[in-house]
Amino acid sequence: MKLCIASDHRGYTLKENLLKYLKGKYDITDLGTNNTEMVDYTKYGFLVGEKIKNNEYDLGIVICGSGIGISIACNKVKKVRCAKVDNKEDAMLTRKDNNANVIALSGKKDINEAIDIVETFINTEFGNLDRYVKRINDIYKYENGEYIDR
């Protein structure tokens, strides 16, 4: 399993602490930022989104101050299903029911809680029930206020 991770300046410390834990356990790539100097979360949300869209990585982790802005940016990239998660149950459900391929975390999250969330996300498989598959496919069919068959 190949993972990528990125953050803005407000998520930098949590990203670095997660990397210390994840390196050696997983094939993970740090896509930035590389310090606490102010940067736009959009850049890193789009970057991870593009890597996931292009199948360069299996799953992504994005972090900003709240986790919300970077998740919105990431979701602008086609084929990305990024969920802002706050706990292990959210992480499990977003993989099992929604087949999310990126999670977003708040940079304020405690490292031990963040590790539990990330491990749950990585180790939960998609439920692959027909109703879940249909709903995910519906997301990709919706464009400009209507469903478009592709």
Side-chain angles (χ1 to χ4, degrees):
M1 166 120 15
K2 289 182 67 177
L3 310 172
C4 62
I5 189 170
S7 72
D8 72 356
H9 57 287
R10 290 177 58 203
Y12 173 76
T13 300
L14 181 60
K15 176 183 68 84
E16 290 300 303
N17 288 328
L18 277 172
L19 276 168
K20 287 177 191 171
Y21 172 81
L22 296 169
K23 280 189 176 178
K25 288 187 68 134
Y26 300 100
D27 181 0
I28 187 163
T29 301
D30 179 3
L31 300 176
T33 192
N34 298 316
N35 55 53
T36 58
E37 290 181 30
M38 192 172 79
V39 294
D40 294 329
Y41 61 77
T42 50
K43 173 182 176 180
Y44 296 95
F46 298 150
L47 178 61
V48 168
E50 288 295 327
K51 298 290 186 182
I52 295 296
K53 179 183 93 173
N54 294 328
N55 296 311
E56 294 176 50
Y57 297 93
D58 301 304
L59 299 173
I61 304 162
V62 292
I63 309 165
C64 72
S66 67
I68 297 167
I70 203 164
S71 70
I72 293 169
C74 200
N75 277 316
K76 294 296 286 183
V77 180
K78 295 278 187 194
K79 298 183 183 177
V80 170
R81 294 173 306 284
C82 179
K84 196 277 190 190
V85 298
D86 285 317
N87 54 57
K88 285 173 54 172
E89 182 179 13
D90 290 351
M92 183 272 296
L93 290 171
T94 200
R95 284 287 297 140
K96 182 179 156 293
D97 295 359
N98 309 117
N99 201 19
N101 47 20
V102 181
I103 58 166
L105 299 171
S106 165
K108 300 172 195 163
K109 190 65 71 184
D110 170 78
I111 183 58
N112 293 316
E113 188 177 9
I115 288 169
D116 286 344
I117 290 168
V118 169
E119 284 285 3
T120 299
F121 179 73
I122 292 169
N123 292 302
T124 300
E125 300 214 5
F126 178 46
N128 207 27
L129 297 177
D130 288 344
R131 68 179 183 264
Y132 299 153
V133 172
K134 179 201 175 298
R135 293 169 188 158
I136 292 166
N137 288 335
D138 283 349
I139 292 168
Y140 297 117
K141 292 178 184 176
Y142 187 81
E143 193 170 295
N144 299 319
E146 60 186 80
Y147 287 102
I148 299 171
D149 284 322
R150 295 174 196 218

